[in-house]
C-alpha cells in the first residue's frame, strides 16, 4: 500500500501556454503546486516528477500516424493543410504552440505513472491530467492526447480490472466513451451540462452498457449535485464494486467559469471526492477543464487537501494569499475586479438552491435503467 497520497506534477506547466487568446492561456497546475507548497501541504516525499510519455506508450491507444504528426507539428511549429484537416492540429481549439507535444505527453506520462503506482492500494493526484476529449487519431477540444484512457489502460496493465470512471467536468468525456464503449469492466459516470460542446452523452446513451450519462441543465447547484451524488453516483459505484476509481474533477462546473453555465461551488467537487474515497482501495484524481485561474487553483488545491484529510483553513496564510494575488486573467472581465475572497480563501460559499423536477426525474430514470 502507498504510505501516503502522491502528487504528480512538472514545471512544464509553468512556462507553456496555448497562446494569448486561448482559454488555456491561464496558469493552472503550476499555481496548484505553488499554493499547496505555500500551505505546507506538499513536502518533497509526497511529490513525484511526471515523466514524459514516449511514443510507444502513447500508441497503446493513439495511432502512430497521429503521434508522428503531433511531434512533427511541435518541431516545425506548423502543419500542412492536409494534416490540419486530418489530425485537427493548428486549429483555434488545438493551436500550434511551443510545447504542443511535450506538455500533453507529460500529462499522459503522469497518468500512466499513476496507474503503475496504483498497482498497490493508495491515492494519487495528477492535476495536469483529465484531458478526456482526445481521440485515437486526432486532437479534440483542447486535448491533444487522452491521458484518462491511457491511465485506465495503465491500471489494467498493472492487474486492475474493474475500474470506475467518474467525471464531473462541465463537458462530456467523449474520448473516454469511445475508448471503453461496451467494456463490461468499466463503469463510466458523467455529470455534464446539457447542450454544451461536444453535445454527446445524451441520457439515453449508455456507451454499449458501460456508461451512465446525466446531462444537467444550466444553473445546476450544490443541492442538486448532492442529490445526484447520493441517489445515483454512490449507489452505482457500490453496485459495481470497483477495484479503482478514476475521478476527473474539471473546475469548469463552478459558477465563475467563463465557458460553462453551471452554478456549483468547489464544495461540491470536494464532497463528491470524499464520498468516493471509501468505495475503492485505489483513487486516481485528475484535473480537467477550468478556465478561471483563481477558481481552478482554489478548487484543485482543495482536491489535494481532501485526498490527504487536511483541514482547509478559513483564512489563508500570507504566503498562500501571495500566490493567488500574483495571478492575472488578461482579456476577460472576470480578471478586472476579482472579489477579495479569491485571494483569501480556498472554500467557496455553498451554492445551495432548489432541486428541479427535471433533475429528480432524470435520476429516477437512470436508477431504474441501471437497476439501482
Amino acid at each position: 500500500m502507498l504510505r501516503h497520497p502522491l502528487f504528480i506534477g512538472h514545471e512544464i506547466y509553468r512556462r507553456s501556454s496555448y497562446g494569448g487568446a486561448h482559454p488555456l492561456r491561464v496558469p493552472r497546475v503550476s499555481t496548484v503546486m505553488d499554493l499547496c507548497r505555500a500551505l505546507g501541504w506538499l513536502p518533497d516525499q509526497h511529490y513525484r516528477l511526471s515523466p514524459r510519455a514516449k511514443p510507444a506508450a502513447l500508441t497503446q491507444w493513439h495511432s502512430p500516424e497521429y503521434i508522428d504528426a503531433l511531434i512533427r507539428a511541435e518541431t516545425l511549429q506548423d502543419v500542412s493543410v492536409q494534416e490540419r484537416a486530418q489530425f485537427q492540429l493548428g486549429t483555434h481549439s488545438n493551436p500550434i504552440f511551443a510545447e504542443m507535444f511535450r506538455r500533453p505527453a507529460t500529462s499522459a506520462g503522469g497518468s500512466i505513472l499513476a496507474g503503475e503506482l496504483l498497482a498497490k492500494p493508495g491515492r494519487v493526484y495528477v492535476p495536469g491530467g483529465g484531458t478526456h476529449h482526445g481521440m485515437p487519431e486526432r486532437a479534440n477540444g483542447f486535448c491533444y492526447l487522452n491521458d484518462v484512457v491511457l491511465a485506465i489502460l495503465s491500471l489494467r496493465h498493472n492487474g486492475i480490472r474493474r475500474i470506475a470512471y467518474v467525471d464531473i467536468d462541465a463537458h462530456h468525456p467523449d474520448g473516454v466513451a469511445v475508448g471503453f464503449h461496451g467494456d463490461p469492466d468499466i463503469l463510466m459516470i458523467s455529470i455534464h451540462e446539457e447542450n454544451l460542446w461536444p453535445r454527446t452523452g445524451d441520457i439515453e446513451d449508455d456507451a454499449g452498457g458501460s456508461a451512465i450519462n446525466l446531462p444537467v441543465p444550466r444553473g445546476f447547484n450544490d443541492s442538486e449535485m448532492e442529490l445526484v451524488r447520493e441517489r445515483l453516483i454512490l449507489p452505482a459505484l457500490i453496485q459495481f464494486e470497483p477495484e479503482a476509481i478514476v475521478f476527473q474533477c474539471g473546475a469548469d462546473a463552478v459558477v465563475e467559469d467563463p465557458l460553462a453555465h453551471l452554478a456549483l461551488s468547489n464544495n461540491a467537487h470536494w464532497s463528491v471526492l470524499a464520498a468516493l474515497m471509501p468505495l475503492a482501495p485505489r483513487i486516481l484524481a485528475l484535473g480537467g477543464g477550468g478556465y478561471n485561474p483563481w477558481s481552478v487553483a482554489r478548487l484543485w488545491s482543495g482536491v489535494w487537501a481532501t485526498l490527504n484529510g487536511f483541514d482547509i483553513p478559513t483564512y489563508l496564510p500570507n504566503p498562500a494569499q501571495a500566490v493567488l494575488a500574483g495571478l492575472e486573467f488578461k482579456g476577460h472581465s472576470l480578471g478586472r475586479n476579482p472579489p477579495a475572497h479569491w485571494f483569501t480563501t480556498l472554500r467557496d460559499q455553498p451554492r445551495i438552491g432548489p432541486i428541479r423536477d427535471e433533475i429528480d426525474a432524470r435520476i429516477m430514470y437512470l436508477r431504474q435503467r441501471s437497476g439501482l
Side-chain angles (χ1 to χ4, degrees):
M1 183 171 183
L2 298 178
R3 289 185 297 169
H4 44 67
L6 296 174
F7 185 120
I8 299 177
H10 199 282
E11 288 298 311
I12 196 169
Y13 303 105
R14 189 182 306 280
R15 61 177 186 268
S16 72
S17 166
Y18 279 43
H22 195 280
L24 281 175
R25 66 189 178 275
V26 299
R28 304 190 316 156
V29 177
S30 57
T31 307
V32 176
M33 292 162 53
D34 292 345
L35 192 52
C36 288
R37 287 184 173 126
L39 286 160
W41 290 351
L42 193 55
D44 290 345
Q45 62 267 29
H46 286 242
Y47 182 78
R48 294 289 185 276
L49 185 68
S50 176
R52 185 192 307 166
K54 296 180 179 179
L58 300 174
T59 54
Q60 294 299 305
W61 194 62
H62 293 282
S63 73
E65 295 79 12
Y66 172 60
I67 297 303
D68 288 346
L70 182 58
I71 294 171
R72 186 164 56 250
E74 179 180 279
T75 301
L76 299 176
Q77 288 294 285
D78 195 13
V79 292
S80 68
V81 172
Q82 178 183 348
E83 288 174 325
R84 182 178 293 109
Q86 180 177 355
F87 302 117
Q88 290 298 295
L89 298 172
T91 65
H92 176 74
S93 293
N94 314 308
I96 303 291
F97 68 99
E99 301 87 7
M100 63 183 292
F101 170 73
R102 285 172 289 160
R103 174 169 161 166
T106 300
S107 298
S111 294
I112 292 168
L113 174 60
E116 297 167 0
L117 293 167
L118 288 171
K120 299 177 181 179
R123 301 169 187 170
V124 179
Y125 187 29
V126 189
T131 54
H132 57 180
H133 297 305
M135 292 295 178
E137 298 178 339
R138 61 182 171 87
N140 187 43
F142 311 166
C143 302
Y144 297 86
L145 300 170
N146 197 314
D147 74 283
V148 179
V149 171
L150 293 166
I152 293 172
L153 292 177
S154 178
L155 284 165
R156 284 200 160 162
H157 181 74
N158 287 280
I160 313 305
R161 297 304 306 172
R162 290 183 68 78
I163 302 165
Y165 174 62
V166 179
D167 189 312
I168 60 171
D169 192 288
H171 301 82
H172 177 254
D174 51 342
V176 184
V178 168
F180 298 104
H181 185 95
D183 190 323
D185 289 325
I186 298 291
L187 172 64
M188 187 182 90
I189 303 173
S190 176
I191 316 302
H192 51 272
E193 182 180 332
E194 65 182 352
N195 299 321
L196 188 68
W197 188 95
R199 295 182 175 85
T200 52
D202 184 85
I203 194 169
E204 301 290 347
D205 178 13
D206 67 356
S210 63
I212 296 173
N213 282 302
L214 176 60
V216 297
R218 293 185 176 202
F220 183 64
N221 62 48
D222 287 4
S223 303
E224 292 171 325
M225 178 60 95
E226 181 180 8
L227 184 69
V228 170
R229 184 188 75 221
E230 296 300 316
R231 295 286 291 160
L232 183 63
I233 297 174
L234 299 186
L237 292 173
I238 290 168
Q239 181 186 72
F240 184 70
E241 297 181 335
E243 298 172 72
I245 296 174
V246 179
F247 177 52
Q248 202 269 22
C249 51
D252 49 5
V254 297
V255 74
E256 300 95 350
D257 190 83
L259 295 192
H261 315 90
L262 304 181
L264 297 177
S265 75
N266 55 26
N267 298 280
H269 291 66
W270 303 339
S271 294
V272 171
L273 175 58
L276 299 182
M277 284 162 46
L279 300 185
R282 299 165 181 85
I283 301 291
L284 170 56
L286 304 172
Y291 308 98
N292 176 327
W294 289 285
S295 58
V296 173
R298 295 164 67 242
L299 192 159
W300 287 358
S301 296
V303 167
W304 180 238
T306 303
L307 287 168
N308 285 275
F310 296 149
D311 291 331
I312 294 174
T314 302
Y315 194 77
L316 293 176
N318 288 337
Q321 289 195 39
V323 171
L324 293 170
L327 295 176
E328 295 180 319
F329 194 8
K330 294 180 179 178
H332 200 282
S333 60
L334 289 169
R336 292 173 192 159
N337 293 292
H341 73 271
W342 286 3
F343 306 114
T344 60
T345 68
L346 287 190
R347 188 183 298 277
D348 294 330
Q349 288 295 316
R351 286 154 189 155
I352 60 174
I355 296 171
R356 288 165 285 183
D357 291 343
E358 59 195 301
I359 299 286
D360 193 53
R362 292 175 194 184
I363 293 171
M364 289 300 297
Y365 169 77
L366 290 169
R367 282 179 59 86
Q368 291 170 3
R369 193 183 73 188
S370 303
L372 301 177

